[in-house]
Amino acid sequence: MPADRPTASLTRETHDVEALIIGSGLSGIGAAIKLREAGVRDLVLIEKADDLGGTWRDNTYPGCACDVPSALYSYSFAPNPEWTRAFAGQTEIRAYLRDTAAAYGITPLVRFGVEVTRAQWNPREARWHVETTRDRYTARFLIAAAGPWHEPLLPDIPGLEDFPGEVFHSSRWRHDHELTGARVAVIGSGASAVQFVPAIQPRVGRLHLFQRTAQWVLPKPDHRVPSAERWLMRHVPGAQRALRNAEYAALEALGVGFRRPGLLRAVQKVGTLHLRATVKDPRLRRALTPDYTLGCKRLLLSNTYYPALTRPNVGVHATAVEAVHGSRVIGADGSGADVDTIILGTGFHILDMPIGRRVFDADGASLDDHWKGSPDAYLGTTVSGFPNAFVLLGPHLGTGHSSAYTVLEAQLDYVAGAVRHFRSAGWAAMDVRPEVQAAFDAEVQQALPSTVYNAGGCSSYYLDGNGRNSFSWPWSTGRMRRRLADFDAEAYAVTSHTESHTESHAEPHTGLHTDRYIDGQYTLAREVR
């Protein structure tokens, strides 16, 4: 939605709160729960939609489901014994988020149908001044929890806007548009398309998949959870925790290969065998075979995608789309298809996050102005020049193998620790030191070249517009959790309530914390200046 959308009312009130959270998806709900546990009672969540749930509210396309096991794709402090599938579907995940928000008393704190248009730091008041499409707010803490998977990435294809039929993005699915017997072009072959293509293939008359890049697709170990297992999860103490730990260990074992790409050859062989077993046509198999190392792009799971592409009513165009001429979609290789519906499976604005254009420092420079196309944050969470603000699921914290909840809860531990320390010390403002942020970024960038994210031989959304990996965490999530477990006060310049200018009240800054693996052991080292 545009930032200058007209306000709903000519009368605008100003509300003062201790914490303002932007977004009510899994990040916003989790942040609200943990902030309340940290003692923050006066908080509000601003949600531009009419319901909570974030990406699981927006993505309702046929076949939409999680590609992380259900037991791990949930808050550790709010386990759900009622998952009906090993990999939950969209409806169940959305219901889980609603139920969790209600159980923890978060739902009444959400202001629905309200969009943040501008948030700017006021150093004199040591508050964030937040403009929305309804009211104004001042807040001590600002938490950006909108996430990177909510703003559709719409391709700039010549002629697309003049297409006479129906065009929609997979995250804005047109359920009122009849696909039975339709001639459909799907542009994109990523995580969403892998799920909705098999779901719509039996209904459409003809389906043309325009695939710019072949994807590695592994078998999905999904199944219905029997009622006996759900009973076990409800009644046997520790059963859910044991399942969660087992699934976490399995994904972390896979993650070792992301840091040492040579180890992924065995997993890649599984993908190759899966493709050979399901696609017998050698020409189609060649078109679907990736030319990069598994893990370089997001890892995909499906038992139905490859079989769907072998059906007589499906054509695979191993090419990008060059243009749309009337009702005809033209590929860069010259192939084409006459269609009456175009579905865009083209992903989201991951690293050019829309929130970056709406959050401003004291001088009026936005996050985008600071980042210059390469998002950066200390521990993926705080940005120098933006005091008392936290970014959730932000730069440097993406993993190709683990759950977003694992990353989020590590961050929330850090945020909660920061808020507790802030309140007990009587601070007015805390701002991460620029040299600390720069040192962390340098550490990440030094570690990334040897990972599959950078060395896998592909172009992915992990790379920003400057060709720099601003997305990925190059180590284990265990290391992430240890790094974020304790709030490091000395990394911040702080202001007390009695001051009118910024002055550090932490111990003199004598060095930077950096953690490293030495001879296979995790250590915490101090680099003294």
Side-chain angles (χ1 to χ4, degrees):
M1 295 295 292
D4 57 355
R5 188 173 70 177
T7 58
S9 171
L10 296 177
T11 303
R12 291 160 61 83
E13 298 181 4
T14 299
H15 310 274
D16 184 63
V17 296
E18 187 166 9
L20 184 143
I21 300 169
I22 303 173
S24 66
L26 67 93
S27 298
I29 294 168
I33 292 170
K34 289 302 179 181
L35 284 174
R36 294 186 88 182
E37 290 179 358
V40 177
R41 314 308 296 177
D42 184 16
L43 61 85
V44 64
L45 295 86
I46 304 298
E47 173 54 62
K48 66 181 180 180
D50 296 326
D51 196 4
L52 53 76
T55 188
W56 297 105
R57 175 201 60 231
D58 294 345
N59 288 272
T60 61
Y61 57 80
C64 184
C66 192
D67 51 12
V68 173
S70 306
L72 199 57
Y73 200 79
S74 50
Y75 303 111
S76 63
F77 54 83
N80 177 22
E82 303 299 337
W83 295 119
T84 63
R85 299 202 67 86
F87 291 78
Q90 177 265 340
T91 303
E92 276 195 279
I93 296 173
R94 186 178 183 185
Y96 167 77
L97 290 169
R98 282 174 170 165
D99 292 346
T100 303
Y104 282 83
I106 303 305
T107 310
L109 306 177
V110 186
R111 304 294 175 260
F112 292 110
V114 181
E115 187 172 358
V116 170
T117 57
R118 184 183 181 92
Q120 184 165 4
W121 175 250
N122 184 310
R124 183 178 60 84
E125 300 176 12
R127 311 290 281 191
W128 282 95
H129 284 218
V130 182
E131 298 279 343
T132 77
T133 50
R134 185 177 301 167
D135 293 331
R136 297 183 178 94
Y137 293 84
T138 60
R140 174 169 289 137
F141 301 110
L142 181 72
I143 295 89
W149 290 283
H150 75 98
E151 194 73 19
L153 181 61
L154 304 178
D156 184 15
I157 299 173
L160 181 62
E161 62 184 24
D162 298 321
F163 178 70
E166 193 70 39
V167 181
F168 55 88
H169 191 274
S170 60
S171 67
R172 304 292 184 267
W173 196 271
R174 286 288 309 275
H175 291 279
D176 59 343
H177 177 64
E178 182 55 63
L179 289 176
T180 302
R183 300 174 303 167
V184 178
V186 173
I187 301 177
S189 58
S192 300
V194 163
Q195 294 184 341
F196 73 72
V197 163
I200 67 173
Q201 174 270 319
R203 293 162 45 202
V204 303
R206 182 72 178 165
L207 191 151
H208 296 271
L209 176 69
F210 285 85
Q211 168 200 272
R212 183 174 60 181
T213 306
Q215 306 282 345
W216 283 108
V217 182
L218 297 178
K220 189 172 186 176
D222 192 20
H223 59 84
R224 285 199 63 82
V225 178
S227 57
E229 183 177 329
R230 296 202 299 274
W231 182 93
L232 188 74
M233 294 299 160
R234 283 194 300 268
H235 296 99
V236 176
Q240 285 185 270
R241 174 63 60 183
L243 177 60
R244 183 184 181 93
N245 289 343
E247 290 176 344
Y248 173 76
L251 292 185
E252 282 305 292
L254 176 63
V256 173
F258 284 72
R259 301 186 294 280
R260 300 175 184 175
L263 299 178
L264 287 173
R265 292 194 187 100
V267 182
Q268 189 165 301
K269 188 172 293 185
V270 173
T272 301
L273 292 173
H274 180 47
L275 177 58
R276 288 177 180 172
T278 51
V279 178
K280 303 301 182 184
D281 180 356
R283 289 185 60 188
L284 178 58
R285 195 163 59 234
R286 280 195 300 271
L288 297 174
T289 300
D291 59 359
Y292 54 87
T293 304
L294 179 144
C296 183
K297 287 179 175 286
R298 179 175 172 178
L299 195 59
L300 306 180
L301 304 175
S302 177
N303 300 323
T304 56
Y305 180 64
Y306 285 151
L309 300 185
T310 67
R311 299 296 185 256
N313 66 334
V314 177
V316 175
H317 303 254
T319 180
V321 172
E322 187 172 82
V324 176
H325 295 160
S327 296
R328 189 165 181 81
V329 179
I330 308 295
D333 63 353
S335 66
D338 293 307
V339 299
D340 44 57
T341 301
I342 297 176
I343 303 175
L344 304 173
T346 47
F348 299 88
H349 288 273
I350 302 295
L351 291 172
D352 54 337
M353 295 177 284
I355 195 68
R357 300 187 291 274
R358 305 190 187 194
V359 178
F360 297 82
D361 66 14
D363 297 322
S366 69
L367 274 170
D368 273 0
D369 294 332
H370 280 250
W371 286 338
K372 296 181 174 59
S374 293
D376 179 29
Y378 175 56
L379 300 177
T381 307
T382 55
V383 181
S384 184
F386 294 81
N388 298 13
F390 304 93
V391 180
L392 299 182
L393 299 182
H396 304 317
L397 292 186
T399 72
H401 66 279
S402 193
S403 168
Y405 282 86
T406 301
V407 176
L408 174 65
E409 290 195 38
Q411 278 193 286
L412 293 182
D413 284 345
Y414 189 82
V415 173
V419 169
R420 289 190 183 97
H421 194 106
F422 185 106
R423 288 159 62 92
S424 65
W427 292 350
M430 50 170 277
D431 189 10
V432 66
R433 300 174 184 274
E435 68 270 22
V436 173
Q437 181 176 326
F440 172 71
D441 178 67
E443 186 184 359
V444 170
Q445 294 304 322
Q446 185 178 8
L448 278 169
S450 62
T451 67
V452 73
Y453 308 123
N454 282 33
C458 73
S459 176
S460 73
Y461 67 69
Y462 304 150
L463 306 181
D464 60 36
N466 298 321
R468 182 175 182 271
N469 190 332
S470 297
F471 181 84
S472 302
W473 175 263
W475 305 292
S476 69
T477 60
R479 179 164 172 169
M480 180 191 298
R481 292 161 72 185
R482 291 189 293 269
R483 192 76 179 264
L484 287 160
D486 298 308
F487 173 66
D488 48 343
E490 72 172 16
Y492 293 82
V494 304
T495 307
S496 73
H497 282 293
T498 59
E499 291 177 287
S500 58
H501 62 278
T502 301
E503 179 180 333
S504 174
H505 280 264
E507 290 297 316
H509 186 61
T510 56
L512 302 178
H513 284 302
T514 57
D515 50 355
R516 309 206 187 283
Y517 283 103
I518 300 175
D519 296 330
Q521 299 295 315
Y522 175 87
T523 64
L524 183 66
R526 181 182 299 276
E527 179 184 340
V528 179
R529 285 171 43 179

